C-alpha cells in the first residue's frame, strides 16, 4: 500500500525545541517515514504507512508529548440504520476517510460522532462518505438546532414508513386473495390473473421495498451484508422467478405443468419488515426528549439586586457575583452561596434526598431547586453552562451519545450466510449446466432458484422482530414499558442492578415511623397531637408528615399560638396554654430541657436511618417523634428475587452512610454506594462497567437521569419524573420494584426464544439447501421444485412466528 500524507495542526508550541520534540516523537513511531513541523504555521506534515500507523495514533502521540493536536468534533444525524452491522459499516467507512481520528456511531440515537483533522477533511466529505455507504444524512448543526432537525427528520421518516406500509399491506391483501382464489370462492376471477398479480406486486417490490435495495447496495459496495441484503435477496428471488414464470412460463414448465408463482411471498415479507421498521422508528423518536425536559427545569427569571432596587431579569442575564433574592416557593435560578437569611430547600430533583435541606449563611444552593420556606439572598457563583443542572444535562447528552455494545446475532451470521448461499446457488447452476441432463439450462435455472428460495431469509428476518414484538407487548401488559428491541436484548445480560434509594427502594416522602413518649408522662396519642398541633402551619416536609399522621389517626389538631420557626433547630408554639418545643437536641439544650433516657432512644432511631425530633412541654421532656423515608412494601421481596436470579444488587444514594446502611439492612442489600453526588452517579456506573459488568440502573429522579443513560439498561420508576423515564430504556408504570424482576425475566425468556427461532430458521435452510441443489437426484431422482421450496420456507416462517407467540404465556413476577 502506498504511503499517505497528512497535515496535523498543533497548539502549545513555543520554540524550536518543541519542534524537535514533536518531530522526534513522530519519527519514533513504526510506519512514520517523514515528519516535519513548522513553528510559524503550527502544523506538522507527516508521511506514513497506513498499514502500520493511523491518524489516531499520530494524534495520541502528540498529546502524550504534551502538546495539543487541534482535532474538531462533529455530530451527524444518520438515517436508514437498522442493525449493528449498519453501525459497523458507517464506522468503517468514516474511519477510512483521510483525516478522521475516531468515528463512533450510536444506533439508538442515530448519530455519528466524528473527530477529525480540519486540515484534511471537511464535514461535507464526511457526509458524502455516509451517503455513498447507502445511508441518509439528515443534517449537521449546532446541538440545540440539531435536536429540532432530527425530530423533523424522524417525523418525515415515520410518515414515509406509514405510507409505504399501508400501501404494501393493502396490495399484499389483494395478492393473497388472488393467489388463493381456488380456496376463496368469493374472490373475483380477475385477481387470480398472473398479469394482475404482477401489476400489484411490482410497486410493492420496487417502491415500498426500495429502502432494502438501497441498503443492500450500500453494504455490497463495502463488501459486507446485513438484514437489507437478506430481504433484498429473498424477495428478489421470489419476484424474479414469478416474473419469468408469468411472461415465459415454458422455461419452468415440467411435465406439462405450469410453474407456481411466488408474488405473495415477496409482497408479504416486505410488508412485515416495513411494519417492524415503523415500530422501531416510532420507539427511537423519543430519544432526545430527556434533554428538553431537563432544560425545562431551569428557572425562567431571577430577582437580582441592581443598585438599591430588586429587578426581575431573565435567568440568562444573571452573571457571577450578582446578589439574587429568593422568596418562598420560588425556584433558585443559579448556583451560589447564601449571604443572609434562613430557609429549607427541596433539592430532591438534584440530589435525590427527600428531606428539605436547611440553608443558612455560608451554605451553597443549587439552581433549579425549590425554596420551601423563608427568604434569603445569595451570591451567584455558577451560571449558564457551569451550573449543576447544566452539568447533568451534559452528562445525559454524553451518555446517550456514547456507543453501546449491542450486536445482533442475525446480522453477524448473515454476513457469512448470504454470500455463502449465493455461492452455493451459482455452483449449483454451473454444475447442472455442465453435468446435468437435457434440457440442462432449465434444470440449472430451476435448481438455482430453488436454492435461493429455500434459503430465502423470511424466517431469519422474522426470528428477532416477532419475538421482540410479542415480548414488549407482554411487558406492557404487566406494566413494564420497554423502549426498544435493543433494550430488551441487553437486559438478559445484566449482571449488576444498581438501585437508587429515594423513591425507588423507598416511598420518596417522609412519614412518621415511631412515637416514643417519655416514661411516666404523656401517652403516644398526646405526643403526636401536640407535635402535629405545633406543626399545623408549618411548610416543612417533616411537619407535614407529622400532621398527616395525626389526621390519619383522627386525632385533634389544634391551632397554635405564637408560632415561631427557629432556623436549624425546630419550632416553638403555645398549644392549649402549654409552651411546646419540637426540634433537635440543640433546641432542647438551648431550652435547658433534661432529656434523660430519650437521648438513647433517639440515637437508636438515628442508627436506623430515621430523623428523631424531641418534644418538650412546659420545659419538661414529653417524647420523641421519628420520621423517615420508609421502604416500599415490595422492595425486600424484589431484592430477594434479583438475588435468586444470580444478580448483584447495589444501592446508590446521596444520603450519609449510616442512613444508607439502615435502609440496605431492611431491604437485604449488601452493596452500598453512599454520599454520591448527582454528577458522580454516572461515574459510579462507569466504574462498575469498567470491571466487566453489564449494569442496570434503576431510579426515578432527575439526578438519576445521567446514570440511567450511562447504564447498559436504564430502568425508570414510572411514578418518578418524566426526565428519568425519557432517559431510561425500561419504565415501570406502577412504581413497583417487582417490575425490575419482570423485565429481566422477560428479557431472558425472549432471548431464549430468539435463539431458538434463529436455530430453526437456519436448520430449515441447512437441511433444505442441499436438497434444493439436487444432491439427491443422482441417487433417487429427487429434485426440489421451487414450489415445495417455497412451502418449506413458509413453514419455517410459521414455526418461528408460532414459537414467538408462546411468549404470550409468560407470567409476571
Amino acid at each position: 500500500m502506498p504511503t499517505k500524507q497528512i497535515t496535523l495542526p498543533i497548539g502549545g508550541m513555543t520554540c524550536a525545541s518543541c519542534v524537535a520534540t514533536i518531530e522526534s516523537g513522530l519519527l519514533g513511531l513504526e510506519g512514520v517515514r517523514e515528519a516535519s513541523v513548522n513553528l510559524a504555521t503550527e502544523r506538522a506534515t507527516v508521511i506514513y504507512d497506513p498499514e502500520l500507523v493511523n491518524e489516531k495514533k499520530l494524534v495520541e502521540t502528540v498529546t502524550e508529548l504534551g502538546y495539543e493536536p487541534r482535532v474538531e468534533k462533529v455530530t451527524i444525524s444518520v438515517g436508514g440504520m437498522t442493525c449493528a452491522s449498519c453501525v459497523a459499516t458507517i464506522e468503517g467507512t468514516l474511519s477510512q476517510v483521510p483525516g478522521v481520528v475516531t468515528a463512533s456511531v450510536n444506533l439508538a440515537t442515530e448519530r455519528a460522532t466524528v473527530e477529525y483533522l480540519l486540515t484534511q477533511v471537511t464535514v461535507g466529505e464526511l457526509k458524502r462518505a455516509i451517503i455513498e455507504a447507502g445511508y441518509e444524512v439528515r443534517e449537521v448543526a449546532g446541538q440545540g438546532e440539531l435536536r429540532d432537525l432530527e425530530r423533523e427528520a424522524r417525523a418525515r421518516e415515520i410518515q414515509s414508513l406509514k405510507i409505504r406500509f399501508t400501501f404494501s399491506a393493502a396490495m399484499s391483501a389483494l395478492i393473497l386473495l388472488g393467489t388463493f382464489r381456488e380456496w376463496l370462492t368469493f374472490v373475483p376471477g380477475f385477481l387470480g390473473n398472473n398479469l394482475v398479480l404482477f401489476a400489484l406486486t411490482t410497486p410493492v417490490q420496487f417502491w415500498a421495498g426500495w429502502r432494502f435495495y438501497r441498503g443492500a447496495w450500500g453494504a455490497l459496495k463495502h463488501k459486507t451484508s446485513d438484514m437489507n441484503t437478506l430481504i433484498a435477496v429473498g424477495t428478489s428471488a421470489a419476484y424474479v422467478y414469478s416474473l419469468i414464470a408469468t411472461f415465459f412460463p415454458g422455461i419452468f414448465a415440467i411435465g406439462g405443468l405450469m410453474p407456481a408463482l411466488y408474488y405473495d411471498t415477496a409482497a408479504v415479507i416486505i410488508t412485515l419488515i416495513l411494519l417492524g421498521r415503523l415500530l422501531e422508528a416510532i420507539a427511537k423518536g423519543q430519544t432526545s426528549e430527556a434533554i428538553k425536559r431537563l432544560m425545562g427545569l431551569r428557572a425562567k427569571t431571577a430577582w437580582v439586586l441592581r443598585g438599591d432596587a430588586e429587578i426581575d431579569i431573565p435567568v440568562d442575564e444573571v452573571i457571577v457575583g450578582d446578589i439574587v433574592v429568593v422568596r418562598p416557593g420560588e425556584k433558585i435560578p443559579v448556583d451560589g452561596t447564601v449571604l443572609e437569611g434562613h430557609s429549607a430547600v427541596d433539592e430532591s430533583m438534584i440530589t435525590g434526598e427527600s428531606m428539605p435541606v436547611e440553608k443558612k449563611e455560608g451554605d451553597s444552593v443549587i439552581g433549579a431547586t425549590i425554596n420551601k420556606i423563608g427568604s434569603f439572598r445569595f451570591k451567584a457563583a455558577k451560571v449558564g453552562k457551569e451550573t449543576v443542572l447544566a452539568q447533568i444535562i451534559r452528562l445525559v447528552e454524553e451518555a446517550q451519545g456514547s456507543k453501546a455494545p449491542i450486536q445482533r446475532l442475525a446480522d453477524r451470521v448473515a454476513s457469512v450466510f448470504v454470500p455463502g448461499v449465493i455461492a452455493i446457488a451459482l455452483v449449483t447452476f454451473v454444475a447442472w449446466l455442465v453435468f446435468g441432463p437435457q434440457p440442462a439450462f432449465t434444470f440449472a435455472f430451476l435448481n438455482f432458484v430453488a436454492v435461493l428460495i429455500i434459503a430465502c431469509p423470511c424466517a431469519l428476518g422474522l426470528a428477532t422482530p416477532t419475538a421482540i414484538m410479542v415480548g414488549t407487548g407482554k411487558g406492557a401488559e404487566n406494566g413494564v414499558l420497554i423502549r426498544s428491541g435493543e433494550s430488551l436484548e441487553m437486559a438478559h445480560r445484566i449482571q449488576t442492578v444498581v438501585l437508587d434509594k429515594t423513591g425507588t427502594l423507598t416511598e420518596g416522602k417522609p412519614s412518621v415511623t415511631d412515637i416514643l413518649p417519655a416514661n411516666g408522662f404523656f401517652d403516644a396519642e398526646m405526643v403526636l397531637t401536640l407535635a402535629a398541633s405545633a406543626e399545623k402551619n408549618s411548610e416543612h416536609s417533616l411537619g407535614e408528615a407529622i400532621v398527616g399522621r395525626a389526621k390519619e389517626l383522627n386525632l385533634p389538631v389544634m391551632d397554635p399560638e405564637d408560632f415561631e420557626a427557629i432556623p436549624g433547630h425546630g419550632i416553638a408554639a403555645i398549644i392549649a396554654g402549654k409552651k411546646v418545643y419540637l426540634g433537635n437536641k440543640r433546641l432542647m439544650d438551648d431550652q435547658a430541657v433534661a432529656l434523660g433516657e430519650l437521648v438513647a432512644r433517639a440515637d437508636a432511631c438515628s442508627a436506623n436511618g430515621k430523623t428523631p425530633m424531641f418534644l418538650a412541654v412546659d420545659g419538661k421532656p414529653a417524647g420523641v417523634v421519628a420520621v423517615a423515608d420508609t421502604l416500599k412494601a415490595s422492595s425486600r421481596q424484589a431484592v430477594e428475587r434479583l438475588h435468586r436470579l444470580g444478580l448483584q444488587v447495589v444501592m446508590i444514594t446521596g444520603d450519609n452512610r449510616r442512613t444508607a446502611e439502615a435502609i440496605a439492612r431492611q431491604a437485604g442489600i449488601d452493596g452500598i454506594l453512599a454520599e454520591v453526588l448527582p454528577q458522580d452517579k454516572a461515574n459510579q456506573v462507569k466504574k462498575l462497567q469498567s470491571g466487566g459488568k453489564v449494569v442496570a440502573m434503576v431510579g426515578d429522579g432527575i439526578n438519576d437521569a445521567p446514570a440511567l443513560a450511562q447504564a447498559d439498561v436504564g430502568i425508570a420508576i414510572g411514578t418518578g419524573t418524566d426526565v428519568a423515564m425519557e432517559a431510561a430504556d425500561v419504565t415501570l408504570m406502577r412504581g413497583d420494584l417487582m417490575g425490575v424482576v419482570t423485565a429481566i425475566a422477560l428479557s431472558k425468556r425472549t432471548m431464549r426464544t430468539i435463539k431458538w427461532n434463529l436455530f430453526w430458521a437456519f436448520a430449515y435452510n441447512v437441511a433444505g439447501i442441499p436438497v434444493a441443489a439436487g444432491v439427491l437426484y443422482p441417487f433417487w431422482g429427487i429434485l426440489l421444485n421451487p414450489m415445495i421450496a417455497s412451502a418449506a420456507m413458509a413453514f419455517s416462517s410459521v414455526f418461528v412466528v408460532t414459537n414467538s407467540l408462546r411468549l404470550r404465556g409468560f407470567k409476571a413476577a
Side-chain angles (χ1 to χ4, degrees):
M1 180 181 288
T3 58
K4 295 174 65 175
Q5 176 177 312
I6 69 164
T7 301
L8 179 62
I10 301 175
M13 295 188 294
T14 58
C15 59
S17 63
C18 298
V19 172
T21 299
I22 296 172
E23 287 180 348
S24 176
L26 291 172
L27 288 169
L29 293 174
E30 182 182 6
V32 173
R33 302 289 183 250
E34 296 180 25
S36 175
V37 179
N38 188 309
L39 182 61
T41 61
E42 295 186 306
R43 294 185 178 184
T45 301
V46 185
I47 299 174
Y48 65 98
D49 184 344
E51 290 188 349
L52 299 176
V53 68
N54 55 26
E55 286 92 339
K56 182 178 180 181
K57 184 61 179 177
L58 298 176
V59 169
E60 289 175 348
T61 299
V62 173
T63 303
E64 290 167 1
L65 291 171
Y67 300 92
E68 302 170 2
R70 295 196 177 108
V71 177
E72 299 291 329
K73 179 185 286 189
V74 67
T75 299
I76 304 173
S77 179
V78 182
M81 294 189 294
T82 59
C83 59
S85 62
C86 298
V87 172
T89 297
I90 297 173
E91 287 180 345
T93 299
L94 290 171
S95 297
Q96 292 172 9
V97 176
V100 170
V101 178
T102 62
S104 177
V105 178
N106 187 301
L107 180 62
T109 60
E110 297 183 306
R111 295 182 186 179
T113 301
V114 187
E115 291 183 337
Y116 65 101
L117 302 174
L118 192 60
T119 55
Q120 295 296 122
V121 65
T122 65
V123 172
E125 290 172 323
L126 298 175
K127 292 168 64 176
R128 281 196 298 275
I130 294 173
I131 293 170
E132 288 173 0
Y135 300 90
E136 172 192 355
V137 171
R138 288 168 175 160
E139 285 294 342
V140 179
Q143 287 187 342
E145 181 186 357
L146 181 61
R147 283 190 292 273
D148 292 335
L149 293 170
E150 284 182 352
R151 191 174 298 107
E152 294 171 8
R154 286 198 183 97
R156 289 194 300 270
E157 181 182 3
I158 290 171
Q159 184 62 23
S160 173
L161 282 168
K162 284 180 178 178
I163 293 172
R164 291 173 189 269
F165 166 70
T166 302
F167 173 81
S168 182
M171 293 297 101
S172 295
L174 294 175
I175 293 165
L176 284 171
L177 289 173
T179 301
F180 299 102
R181 182 174 52 86
E182 293 82 359
W183 300 352
L184 306 171
T185 56
F186 61 87
V187 176
F190 75 91
L191 271 182
N193 185 280
N194 290 356
L195 292 176
V196 172
L197 293 175
F198 163 75
L200 292 173
T201 306
T202 299
V204 174
Q205 187 74 33
F206 296 108
W207 181 72
W210 176 247
R211 63 178 52 235
F212 307 128
Y213 285 102
R214 184 181 61 194
W217 174 245
L220 181 62
K221 286 196 298 184
H222 290 85
K223 301 177 182 178
T224 185
S225 60
D226 57 13
M227 291 300 291
N228 288 311
T229 309
L230 295 172
I231 297 163
V233 169
T235 58
S236 295
Y239 177 82
V240 171
Y241 174 81
S242 301
L243 174 69
I244 296 173
T246 297
F247 292 97
F248 309 99
I251 293 178
F252 296 142
I254 298 178
L257 295 176
M258 299 307 292
L261 301 181
Y262 306 106
Y263 288 125
D264 57 319
T265 299
V268 170
I269 290 174
I270 289 174
T271 302
L272 290 174
I273 299 299
L274 284 174
L275 174 60
R277 295 285 170 85
L278 173 61
L279 295 175
E280 184 178 357
I282 292 172
K284 285 181 178 177
Q286 304 300 317
T287 53
S288 63
E289 292 302 315
I291 307 298
K292 285 190 64 179
R293 293 181 186 274
L294 280 169
M295 290 179 172
L297 292 173
R298 299 173 61 213
K300 302 297 187 293
T301 61
W303 287 97
V304 177
L305 284 180
R306 294 284 167 87
D308 295 328
E310 292 182 12
I311 61 173
D312 190 16
I313 64 173
V315 70
D316 291 335
E317 295 180 13
V318 178
I319 60 176
V320 174
D322 271 342
I323 307 301
V324 183
V325 180
V326 183
R327 300 176 174 83
E330 292 182 343
K331 280 185 179 180
I332 297 173
V334 296
D335 299 358
T337 304
V338 177
L339 296 177
E340 59 180 79
H342 298 84
S343 187
V345 177
D346 179 3
E347 296 183 341
S348 59
M349 73 280 294
I350 297 295
T351 65
E353 175 52 61
S354 57
M355 305 293 184
V357 180
E358 299 288 343
K359 298 293 181 181
K360 61 183 184 301
E361 183 178 339
D363 290 340
S364 61
V365 291
I366 303 172
T369 57
I370 300 174
N371 181 33
K372 299 287 285 185
I373 57 175
S375 298
F376 63 90
R377 296 181 178 184
F378 74 93
K379 184 176 182 180
K382 293 181 180 180
V383 300
K385 295 180 180 180
E386 302 302 317
T387 63
V388 170
L389 179 62
Q391 292 178 40
I392 290 176
I393 292 173
R394 178 181 56 79
L395 287 171
V396 173
E397 286 181 321
E398 289 180 356
Q400 286 193 334
S402 62
K403 184 173 178 285
I406 300 172
Q407 296 179 342
R408 292 199 179 279
L409 178 60
D411 289 329
R412 294 201 300 270
V413 177
S415 63
V416 178
F417 177 74
V418 174
V421 168
I422 293 173
I424 292 170
L426 290 173
V427 169
T428 299
F429 181 82
V430 172
W432 278 93
L433 189 63
V434 175
F435 302 108
Q438 293 300 320
F441 179 81
T442 300
F443 278 107
F445 198 83
L446 274 173
N447 289 301
F448 172 79
V449 172
V451 169
L452 289 177
I453 290 182
I454 196 70
C456 178
C458 185
L460 184 60
L462 292 171
T464 299
T466 54
I468 287 176
M469 287 173 66
V470 177
T472 52
K474 193 63 183 178
E477 289 179 18
N478 291 283
V480 178
L481 299 181
I482 302 168
R483 169 170 292 190
S484 65
E486 287 82 6
S487 306
L488 187 66
E489 183 176 341
M490 182 61 71
H492 89 287
R493 297 173 51 201
I494 292 171
Q495 297 166 297
T496 300
V497 178
V498 179
L499 301 174
D500 176 55
K501 180 185 80 71
T502 306
T504 301
L505 275 165
T506 65
E507 295 290 351
K509 58 182 180 180
S511 60
V512 175
T513 59
D514 299 270
I515 304 171
L516 309 173
N519 292 333
F521 206 62
F522 295 111
D523 60 17
E525 288 191 356
M526 183 56 69
V527 169
L528 182 59
T529 296
L530 291 173
S533 298
E535 292 278 15
K536 182 176 181 180
N537 297 324
S538 173
E539 296 178 354
H540 198 289
S541 60
L542 298 182
E544 292 173 353
I546 293 172
V547 174
R549 181 59 177 162
K551 289 180 178 179
E552 287 176 10
L553 297 176
N554 295 318
L555 298 178
V557 180
M558 296 169 277
D559 292 324
E561 300 175 14
D562 298 332
F563 175 85
E564 178 188 4
I566 306 171
H569 290 72
I571 61 172
I574 302 294
I575 307 296
K578 301 178 185 294
K579 185 68 173 181
V580 174
Y581 287 93
L582 181 66
N584 56 27
K585 188 174 183 297
R586 291 194 301 273
L587 177 62
M588 298 297 113
D589 291 342
D590 290 346
Q591 302 302 319
V593 177
L595 295 173
E597 51 87 25
L598 286 181
V599 174
R601 300 173 76 182
D603 288 344
C605 290
S606 295
N608 287 314
K610 303 171 184 177
T611 301
M613 290 177 286
F614 295 97
L615 179 72
V617 179
D618 290 337
K620 298 179 180 179
V624 174
V625 179
V627 178
D629 184 9
T630 56
L631 200 68
K632 288 181 179 178
S634 63
S635 292
R636 184 173 183 86
Q637 181 187 4
V639 171
E640 290 175 354
R641 293 289 296 274
L642 290 172
H643 281 148
R644 261 186 267 163
L645 288 172
L647 303 176
Q648 177 189 15
V649 182
V650 176
M651 184 181 76
I652 191 168
T653 180
D655 282 350
N656 60 66
R657 178 160 289 276
R658 185 169 67 175
T659 300
E661 288 175 346
I663 293 294
R665 283 196 301 272
Q666 296 174 39
I669 296 173
D670 47 16
I672 301 171
L673 297 172
E675 300 176 14
V676 179
L677 297 175
Q679 59 266 35
D680 289 335
K681 284 191 175 183
N683 291 332
Q684 292 293 334
V685 172
K686 283 183 183 178
K687 285 182 181 178
L688 291 169
Q689 290 171 321
S690 65
K693 300 288 187 181
V694 177
V695 179
M697 171 69 193
V698 186
D700 75 319
I702 292 162
N703 61 300
D704 300 323
L708 288 169
Q710 173 62 43
D712 297 289
V713 180
I715 303 176
I717 301 295
T719 52
T721 65
D722 289 342
V723 175
M725 293 166 64
E726 292 293 346
D729 302 297
V730 178
T731 298
L732 309 181
M733 295 177 65
R734 291 188 285 269
D736 187 343
L737 272 183
M738 290 301 292
V740 178
V741 181
T742 297
I744 295 174
L746 178 61
S747 172
K748 290 179 179 293
R749 173 82 175 273
T750 303
M751 286 309 299
R752 284 200 303 270
T753 300
I754 290 173
K755 289 175 181 177
W756 274 110
N757 283 350
L758 292 171
F759 169 78
W760 286 112
F762 284 113
Y764 281 115
N765 286 327
V766 170
I769 287 175
V771 178
V775 295
L776 300 181
Y777 185 81
F779 306 101
W780 296 286
I782 296 175
L783 287 177
L784 186 62
N785 188 288
M787 181 176 176
I788 299 174
S790 178
M793 177 196 68
F795 179 74
S796 68
S797 300
V798 170
F799 182 90
V800 163
V801 173
T802 303
N803 192 47
S804 295
L805 290 174
R806 293 174 60 240
L807 282 168
R808 296 166 67 178
F810 174 82
K811 301 295 183 183

